[in-house]
Amino acid sequence: MTFAALNILASVQEYAGQVAAYQTWFFAVILAVTLIALATEKIHKTILVLLSALFCLFLADFWGLFPRQEGHHLPVYIQMIEWEVIGIVIGATVFVEIAARSGVFTWISVKMLKASGGDPFKLLIFLSVLTAVFSAFLDNIMAMIIIGSLTVVACRRLELDPKPFLITEGIMTNVGGLLTLISSIPNIIVGKAADISYLKFLIVSGPYTVVALAVTMFIARRLFGKTVRPLAGEEARTHNRALVMAFDEWETVNDRRFFYTSIVAIILVILGFAFKAQIPILRDFGIEVVAMMAAVFMMLLHAKDVEHDLDDVEWSLVFFFVGLFVIIGVMERGGVLLKIGTSLERLTGSTGAVGLMWFTALFSSVTDNIPLAAMLAKIFGPTPEAAAALPPTQWWAVVFGANLGGNITPIGSASTVVACTILKKHGMKVPFMQFVKIGGVFALAQLILASGYLLILQAILSGGAG
Amino acid sequence: MKERSIDEFESIFERASIPVLDIEEVAINRISAVLKGEPLDDSVLVLAAYLKKRFEAQVDLHYPAICDGEPVLKAARKRGLDPQTQPFVSTAELVGQVSIGRAQLVLMAEPVEEEARFIDIDAMVQGTAPPVLIIRQPIDKPIDIFARILHSLTGNFQQTQNFSYSFTLVKDRGTLELLHTVDESDVEDVKKALRMSLEVDAYEAKELLESLARHAERYLKGVVAASHKRPFNVSYALAMGEVVPTVQAALAGGKYTLLVVGSHEEGHSRVSTSDYRLMHTVREIPVLAL
């Protein structure tokens, strides 16, 4: 397979002729240093990316990579920023924060805990599947924080070791993060670049997600054996059932009216995302507008605390994106993306989408998957025409690789970081290699499964659009 | 921010984890039936016979020494009882006779005379250690008394609530409803309990009442959780306002068969002022004063 888009990328490199080889290499070094520094997490990632972006801008201007008429005013790099992605992040964050405050998700979590009857295996299945579902409709971090917090409280009550539960939940979050277009940032970036609708994303990723959830549960049962074994004996079952029945889901809800209106709002917003193309008013707007509308709708429901709600927007993430898109924009003009694309083609060309997925997964396991997804999106889809010309499975390879790669190491994804943070908070450290031994098994199985799924998709979708 | 969110959600779930109260049922082994020549004395015997059978308890008959004991004993035997008899010469002596200890229940009919009604009931409720069940209507089917119990609770901060008798007496597949009324006088109790000397303004008093209601609700949920797996239903309701009208309103719409008031801990009866008012106001159903 060849990356058809690379030709198009080369053809649209209007500045390519102006870039000297040493300049491209210099930019490549800056990018590599930035990515390594991001992986080490010694400096806050937003500060790091913004500093790197400023340096790239000065350098690009110094070498005359910007057209003279643009100068070095804001509009030069404002074009590089994917405002749609930022719109989705801001809208979704506000929506999720306010929805979480209504108590809907904590209420459902406690209900699931009670439904498990305190049986360790049922508890593992129920909470892990719920984490996956929440991460599909919320963001991964929020899903992990909610379920992770309940897990430690419930395990304390039931005198269970929370480690197997939290690790499985962290891993399930990344599987659930595959389900919808807005489940994870790489999905948003790729979905936007490849012009994949919410519904189409759900239809393609849904079957894989369901099978991967079942496989993950099976592995968890085998891997954690004793701790998650179903309870034997009526006495033990009665005892544990009584312990979990003492949880009251309504204690997590402060305002029942807000709770009920939030349920309606969440359903409406999900339907809005899913059927945007079919709804006359929404049809003409981008998905970022739907996300912002959802945020405004929730603010209206929770009007008494708008200031507090807006404080919860992840402004550091927004500025991280601003810096990241500027870096990628400069790298595009500096010819670095073309070089990466060519190298990538050499590296994975013979293995096709499957090879690309494994490369993306391995890269995502040691560094932030967002810059990788943003870079690959720019390499494969610099223009809508180029994006449309690309085999659809290539986009899916990036999606699967970026999401599942996070399961290999404890630093590979935000949700596994949260899981380890919760465990550490309660005096249970998970050493890096211990996590790799566990997470690696899950990730290996999920990636093998995804490889097969990509081949099936390739057969089905060949010739069609993603 | 992440750490803060984890702490926030952990505390939310900790709050949702209600401490289940350990409520033990009372093995009632002694029934003290007080017969003072009231029209409802026969109902006292009917109820005593039922409770004797249900709890396999010993029944003692207490009657005024000036009366002839033989007709009393005859009436008891007619109801299937073969009781110990204990004549008394004064209310003080009666109180002494029935204040043996725990696992005991005193049954008495409400006096017809207005003055005796207050004096006798108050003396018994205040003086005796065991709870007193006051009968106010003729009883045909004694089991029906325990079909739908309304247990009235006040917000008194210093009162230790006792649910053991209600849990023991409610019949299988019966209903026990807990009605907790938080009223303004509770604020004074809280102030006393917390040794607060400062005056509280209207806003602070409202906040205090709301916090009392929240505290009570959590407590009541612990009681409901304790009823899990028991053969009867327990539910609760919270109300703000004065105790007597609130309970009367509940009784008017609820087809209740027994009202439980006060608290009873370690052989000491603690009936608050509002409970006394309630005890004398509610006339249509029996009242168990703990």
Side-chain angles (χ1 to χ4, degrees):
Chain A
M1 191 209 81
T2 56
F3 298 151
L6 289 180
N7 298 327
I8 302 164
L9 174 64
S11 69
V12 297
Q13 286 283 356
E14 52 185 302
Y15 315 108
Q18 305 168 19
V19 185
Y22 79 92
Q23 290 171 336
T24 302
W25 281 110
F26 202 89
F27 280 124
V29 169
I30 295 172
L31 182 66
V33 169
T34 308
L35 289 176
I36 291 166
L38 270 177
T40 59
E41 293 184 359
K42 295 283 180 204
I43 309 170
H44 192 285
K45 69 176 186 178
T46 304
I47 299 171
L48 179 74
V49 165
L50 285 174
L51 276 175
S52 179
L54 282 173
F55 187 55
C56 286
L57 275 180
F58 288 139
L59 212 57
D61 183 61
F62 179 72
W63 281 332
L65 295 184
F66 295 133
R68 191 164 293 171
Q69 65 269 29
E70 284 182 8
H72 40 263
H73 297 294
L74 194 67
V76 175
Y77 56 86
I78 218 163
Q79 288 170 2
M80 299 173 182
I81 298 167
E82 300 275 356
W83 291 103
E84 294 95 332
V85 173
I86 288 177
I88 294 171
V89 170
I90 294 177
T93 311
V94 173
F95 173 76
V96 165
E97 285 290 341
I98 303 178
R101 208 160 285 165
S102 71
V104 172
F105 303 109
T106 49
W107 189 93
I108 296 171
S109 308
V110 175
K111 273 278 181 198
M112 291 300 274
L113 168 68
K114 288 166 88 169
S116 77
D119 180 90
F121 187 51
K122 280 188 191 166
L123 188 68
L124 178 80
I125 295 177
F126 287 14
L127 292 187
S128 301
V129 171
L130 193 63
T131 321
V133 174
F134 279 0
S135 62
F137 298 104
L138 291 171
D139 68 72
N140 287 2
I141 298 176
M142 182 60 89
M144 192 58 225
I145 287 174
I146 293 176
I147 304 290
S149 306
L150 175 62
T151 303
V152 284
V153 175
C155 284
R156 200 181 300 138
R157 245 310 152 99
L158 295 164
E159 292 176 359
L160 293 170
D161 177 9
K163 205 185 265 186
F165 295 90
L166 278 158
I167 291 175
T168 312
E169 286 159 12
I171 280 159
M172 288 292 259
T173 309
N174 291 327
V175 179
L178 280 168
L179 194 63
T180 75
L181 182 64
I182 57 157
S183 303
S184 72
I185 305 285
N187 297 7
I188 296 171
I189 293 170
V190 172
K192 196 70 210 162
D195 194 27
I196 306 172
S197 74
Y198 188 92
L199 201 57
K200 195 178 276 180
F201 200 104
L202 189 68
I203 290 166
V204 175
S205 66
Y208 171 80
T209 309
V210 172
V211 177
L213 289 180
V215 170
T216 307
M217 281 294 91
F218 176 77
I219 296 171
R221 174 73 185 93
R222 307 283 300 186
L223 217 55
F224 299 123
K226 222 180 189 178
T227 319
V228 297
R229 187 184 293 164
L231 287 174
E234 191 51 39
E235 198 182 324
R237 279 196 285 271
T238 308
H239 173 74
N240 277 25
R241 199 179 300 122
L243 289 174
V244 293
M245 288 314 283
F247 280 81
D248 182 2
E249 59 277 15
W250 286 110
E251 283 284 336
T252 68
V253 177
N254 289 327
D255 181 345
R256 289 204 186 192
R257 198 173 152 207
F258 180 41
F259 172 82
Y260 289 118
T261 49
S262 292
I263 291 174
V264 176
I266 291 164
I267 292 169
L268 285 178
V269 168
I270 291 171
L271 290 176
F273 275 125
F275 299 103
K276 184 183 95 61
Q278 283 77 39
I279 300 170
I281 308 164
L282 298 180
R283 194 183 297 153
D284 302 328
F285 293 106
I287 198 162
E288 70 283 358
V289 180
V290 181
M292 293 302 282
M293 281 164 72
V296 174
F297 190 34
M298 287 307 280
M299 281 194 275
L300 192 68
L301 290 182
H302 200 235
K304 63 179 180 186
D305 214 2
V306 172
E307 295 292 336
H308 188 197
D309 297 335
L310 289 176
D311 279 349
D312 287 331
V313 172
E314 287 196 66
W315 293 112
S316 64
L317 188 63
V318 171
F319 281 101
F320 171 76
F321 276 121
V322 168
L324 181 68
F325 287 131
V326 169
I327 294 173
I328 290 171
V330 174
M331 293 303 150
E332 184 189 9
R333 286 160 195 245
V336 178
L337 295 193
L338 185 63
K339 276 228 176 302
I340 294 174
T342 315
S343 310
L344 206 57
E345 190 188 2
R346 271 204 297 273
L347 197 69
T348 65
S350 58
T351 54
V354 173
L356 178 64
M357 182 195 72
W358 281 89
F359 165 80
T360 314
L362 289 174
F363 200 90
S364 298
S365 70
V366 287
T367 187
D368 202 326
N369 60 6
I370 297 171
L372 178 70
M375 248 185 340
L376 292 177
K378 199 67 172 171
I379 290 169
F380 298 148
T383 63
E385 296 78 27
L390 200 71
T393 44
Q394 204 154 308
W395 291 118
W396 289 106
V398 177
V399 170
F400 285 127
N403 281 286
L404 298 175
N407 284 340
I408 301 172
T409 66
I411 55 156
S413 72
S415 54
T416 47
V417 170
V418 173
C420 292
T421 307
I422 295 174
L423 283 169
K424 192 178 161 194
K425 183 170 171 272
H426 292 279
M428 287 167 277
K429 275 192 178 175
V430 186
F432 189 90
M433 282 318 291
Q434 191 191 355
F435 188 97
V436 172
K437 277 181 195 165
I438 299 167
V441 175
F442 284 107
L444 191 68
Q446 290 159 352
L447 287 166
I448 289 171
L449 197 65
S451 302
Y453 191 71
L454 275 179
L455 293 174
I456 296 169
L457 270 186
Q458 203 164 321
I460 298 170
L461 299 175
S462 56
Chain B
M1 162 145 181
K2 209 185 293 167
E3 282 278 358
R4 196 198 71 193
S5 297
I6 293 168
D7 288 344
E8 271 177 21
F9 279 103
E10 271 186 30
S11 75
I12 287 172
F13 289 121
E14 286 287 0
R15 202 175 67 217
S17 167
I18 304 286
V20 182
L21 295 187
D22 186 18
I23 300 172
E24 284 181 22
E25 292 179 19
V26 187
I28 297 172
N29 53 32
R30 191 182 172 113
I31 310 287
S32 300
V34 180
L35 304 173
K36 297 176 84 173
E38 299 293 341
L40 289 172
D41 277 358
D42 188 50
S43 290
V44 171
L45 292 171
V46 169
L47 189 58
Y50 163 75
L51 292 171
K52 173 186 187 281
K53 197 175 164 193
R54 184 173 163 186
F55 296 108
E56 295 176 349
Q58 175 197 323
V59 177
D60 293 346
L61 279 190
H62 303 266
Y63 63 94
I66 50 162
C67 298
D68 181 5
E70 198 48 42
V72 174
L73 209 54
K74 201 175 160 191
R77 286 194 182 119
K78 197 179 142 194
R79 290 294 176 191
L81 294 167
D82 188 17
Q84 300 275 324
T85 52
Q86 291 192 45
F88 59 89
V89 289
S90 65
T91 304
E93 190 184 1
L94 171 64
V95 167
Q97 283 174 3
V98 299
S99 295
I100 304 297
R102 300 192 75 201
Q104 192 180 352
L105 194 60
V106 178
L107 309 180
M108 67 179 288
E110 183 179 55
V112 176
E113 246 182 77
E114 188 76 22
E115 197 180 337
R117 189 183 298 154
F118 281 92
I119 294 170
D120 284 8
I121 290 177
D122 287 1
M124 289 299 284
V125 170
Q126 267 180 328
T128 61
V132 181
L133 204 157
I134 305 150
I135 296 160
R136 285 165 158 162
Q137 303 289 336
I139 294 170
D140 293 327
K141 283 176 73 184
I143 190 170
D144 287 349
I145 291 180
F146 309 108
R148 193 172 162 87
I149 299 176
L150 180 69
H151 190 139
S152 167
L153 303 153
T154 61
N156 192 328
F157 203 76
Q158 291 162 302
Q159 215 176 39
T160 309
Q161 307 293 5
N162 185 306
F163 301 97
S164 292
Y165 278 91
S166 295
F167 269 52
T168 305
L169 290 170
V170 64
K171 74 170 194 177
D172 286 1
R173 290 186 297 281
T175 304
L176 170 61
E177 294 189 32
L178 314 169
L179 172 62
H180 189 112
T181 313
V182 181
D183 80 1
E184 284 176 9
S185 65
D186 295 331
V187 174
E188 289 307 311
D189 290 330
V190 175
K191 279 175 66 185
K192 265 186 225 161
L194 300 178
R195 293 179 186 169
M196 287 165 65
S197 54
L198 290 172
E199 282 300 310
V200 289
D201 62 22
Y203 179 78
E204 287 167 332
K206 187 171 170 279
E207 291 266 297
L208 214 49
L209 282 174
E210 281 172 358
S211 123
L212 273 178
R214 276 197 299 274
H215 180 81
E217 184 162 26
R218 197 171 155 72
Y219 185 79
L220 292 171
K221 281 177 177 172
V223 181
V224 174
S227 72
H228 181 62
K229 287 274 168 193
R230 302 213 194 201
F232 48 84
N233 293 320
V234 179
S235 60
Y236 75 88
L238 267 176
M240 303 281 258
E242 281 184 50
V243 175
V244 176
T246 304
V247 174
Q248 276 184 314
L251 288 173
K255 290 188 181 168
Y256 292 98
T257 53
L258 176 70
L259 173 68
V260 180
V261 298
S263 70
H264 184 270
E265 186 70 20
E266 295 296 330
H268 300 290
S269 177
R270 294 173 199 274
V271 180
S272 67
T273 317
S274 57
D275 285 334
Y276 271 113
R277 281 206 299 273
L278 196 57
M279 212 166 63
H280 290 295
T281 315
V282 174
R283 308 292 303 278
E284 58 273 29
I285 55 170
V287 175
L288 175 66
L290 297 173

